[in-house]
Amino acid sequence: MRMSFGLTFRAAKGCWMVNLSRHCSHGSIGLFVPPSPPADPAKVKELQRFITLSKRLLVMTGAGISTESGIPDYRSEKVGLYARTDRRPIQHGDFVRSAPVRQRYWARNFVGWPQFSSHQPNPAHWTLSNWERLGKLYWLVTQNVDALHTKAGSQRLTELHGCMHRVLCLDCGEQTSRRVLQERFEILNPTWSAEAHGVAPDGDVFLTEEQVQSFRVPSCARCGGPLKPDVVFFGDTVNPDKVDFVHRRIREADSLLVVGSSLQVYSGYRFILTAREKKLPIAILNIGPTRSDDLACLKLDSRCGELLPLIDPY
């Protein structure tokens, strides 16, 4: 599979252009989705039975549910960030300590934001929202920061790692909209332009150091402190109160379904351990192996957006 990307942003015009070319046997919707075998009818029936028997179903989703919306993940074989490039995500400590690191991050995020924020839910997101509306889904925990569950109407939702659509001040804690920050970026950088090659998860793109140097970053409008997206960067920890909240929801549930997560990150994996301790039945829908395959009573390697709509919540 060969993939090439081009994205150009010109602040003066407030516009972005994306040029994608790809040589692949399946359409552009599969750009960041790893190959998977056809759904096994017997396992689909098992998942149907699993959902039918669930009365207080807790669902935990990961990046694999959003790849079908065009958002790349980190770990998918051949198509994830780690497979496509040697670049690695930003570390929390580096962002907090270094103004140049923050400048580089925000310049890249500024270019990538129009495209990232325009992504829409796919059938898997809509299915889970519908299950909630029908009373089948008790609680939804997502490791994603893309707001696609919110766009699909999910309300019984915990965003474990935060959301890119919100921005926090590191000094005073003031929360603002990412959309408002984009407008402030444009005002501060009226003639700045950049062309990026390569798309990363979480609204990031690849820029050269020369492109970044002249980019200006606004401070908190309230106190003048540095701004950070309201997400948990690598090397940071999830708020303990949020962790406790999710543990309580798991103890109230009677089954756990994992959708689109390899569970390699401990912040999500620990909830599988809690479910196991409580002897909850665990089903996993994810293309490729996960950290918890041996703890699951059912494992399916299929596209989330193709399989979940096949399941009757009753």
Side-chain angles (χ1 to χ4, degrees), residues 237-249:
T237 57
V238 179
N239 182 293
D241 291 338
K242 185 179 291 188
V243 174
D244 291 343
F245 179 87
V246 174
H247 278 306
R248 291 197 299 272
R249 299 292 81 77

Side-chain angles (χ1 to χ4, degrees), residues 134-197:
L134 296 174
K136 171 58 66 174
L137 187 151
Y138 175 62
W139 203 264
L140 175 60
V141 179
T142 186
Q143 300 171 86
N144 300 337
V145 297
D146 51 35
L148 294 187
H149 285 299
T150 299
K151 288 182 179 181
S154 293
Q155 297 182 1
R156 298 180 66 83
L157 170 68
T158 296
E159 295 171 319
L160 190 63
H161 296 150
C163 181
M164 288 293 299
H165 289 251
R166 299 186 299 267
V167 178
L168 289 177
C169 172
L170 288 174
D171 287 348
C172 72
E174 175 82 356
Q175 185 180 104
T176 55
S177 164
R178 178 62 184 80
R179 176 186 56 79
V180 172
L181 180 61
Q182 190 75 359
E183 296 171 356
R184 295 184 65 195
F185 280 135
E186 293 174 0
I187 292 172
L188 277 179
N189 300 276
T191 62
W192 188 85
S193 65
E195 183 173 349
H197 293 280

Side-chain angles (χ1 to χ4, degrees), residues 1 7 63 68-69 95 103 151 182 188 211 218-219 233 308:
M1 180 184 299
L7 188 153
E68 291 174 61
S69 290
F95 185 94
Q103 180 191 39
K151 288 182 179 181
Q182 190 75 359
L188 277 179
Q211 290 172 312
S219 301
F233 283 143
L308 287 183

Side-chain angles (χ1 to χ4, degrees), residues 42-281:
K43 286 198 170 185
V44 174
K45 288 184 178 180
E46 288 185 55
L47 180 61
Q48 177 64 74
R49 184 172 185 273
F50 180 92
I51 298 300
T52 299
L53 294 176
S54 300
K55 304 304 178 185
R56 295 172 73 86
L57 174 67
L58 187 141
V59 176
M60 184 163 68
T61 67
I65 195 175
S66 293
T67 54
E68 291 174 61
S69 290
I71 299 176
D73 66 3
Y74 288 105
R75 295 179 175 83
S76 286
E77 183 179 358
K78 297 183 180 179
V79 293
L81 178 71
Y82 295 162
R84 291 185 286 113
T85 173
D86 59 0
R87 294 177 182 266
R88 292 297 180 262
I90 192 168
Q91 296 293 311
H92 174 79
D94 294 338
F95 185 94
V96 171
R97 289 190 296 265
S98 171
V101 168
R102 292 195 295 272
Q103 180 191 39
R104 181 170 66 250
Y105 172 85
W106 281 122
R108 290 161 50 163
N109 189 268
F110 171 64
V111 175
W113 178 252
Q115 182 186 10
F116 180 79
S117 60
S118 69
H119 289 297
Q120 295 301 313
N122 64 58
H125 297 97
W126 291 111
T127 295
L128 294 178
S129 177
N130 187 50
W131 288 5
E132 177 189 318
R133 183 177 59 83
L134 296 174
K136 171 58 66 174
L137 187 151
Y138 175 62
W139 203 264
L140 175 60
V141 179
T142 186
Q143 300 171 86
N144 300 337
V145 297
D146 51 35
L148 294 187
H149 285 299
T150 299
K151 288 182 179 181
S154 293
Q155 297 182 1
R156 298 180 66 83
L157 170 68
T158 296
E159 295 171 319
L160 190 63
H161 296 150
C163 181
M164 288 293 299
H165 289 251
R166 299 186 299 267
V167 178
L168 289 177
C169 172
L170 288 174
D171 287 348
C172 72
E174 175 82 356
Q175 185 180 104
T176 55
S177 164
R178 178 62 184 80
R179 176 186 56 79
V180 172
L181 180 61
Q182 190 75 359
E183 296 171 356
R184 295 184 65 195
F185 280 135
E186 293 174 0
I187 292 172
L188 277 179
N189 300 276
T191 62
W192 188 85
S193 65
E195 183 173 349
H197 293 280
V199 181
D202 306 336
D204 198 7
V205 299
F206 304 146
L207 299 177
T208 67
E209 290 300 320
E210 291 75 18
Q211 290 172 312
V212 168
Q213 286 176 357
S214 62
F215 187 75
R216 300 179 62 193
V217 179
S219 301
C220 173
R222 179 182 179 185
C223 76
L227 299 175
K228 172 185 174 295
D230 185 14
V231 300
V232 178
F233 283 143
F234 283 76
D236 195 8
T237 57
V238 179
N239 182 293
D241 291 338
K242 185 179 291 188
V243 174
D244 291 343
F245 179 87
V246 174
H247 278 306
R248 291 197 299 272
R249 299 292 81 77
I250 292 176
R251 295 187 184 100
E252 295 164 356
D254 67 358
S255 56
L256 173 62
L257 172 63
V258 177
V259 178
S261 176
S262 64
L263 300 169
Q264 292 300 316
V265 179
Y266 181 73
S267 61
Y269 175 67
R270 61 180 151 199
F271 299 121
I272 306 301
L273 299 180
T274 299
R276 181 67 171 178
E277 291 172 5
K278 193 176 181 292
K279 294 182 169 53
L280 297 185

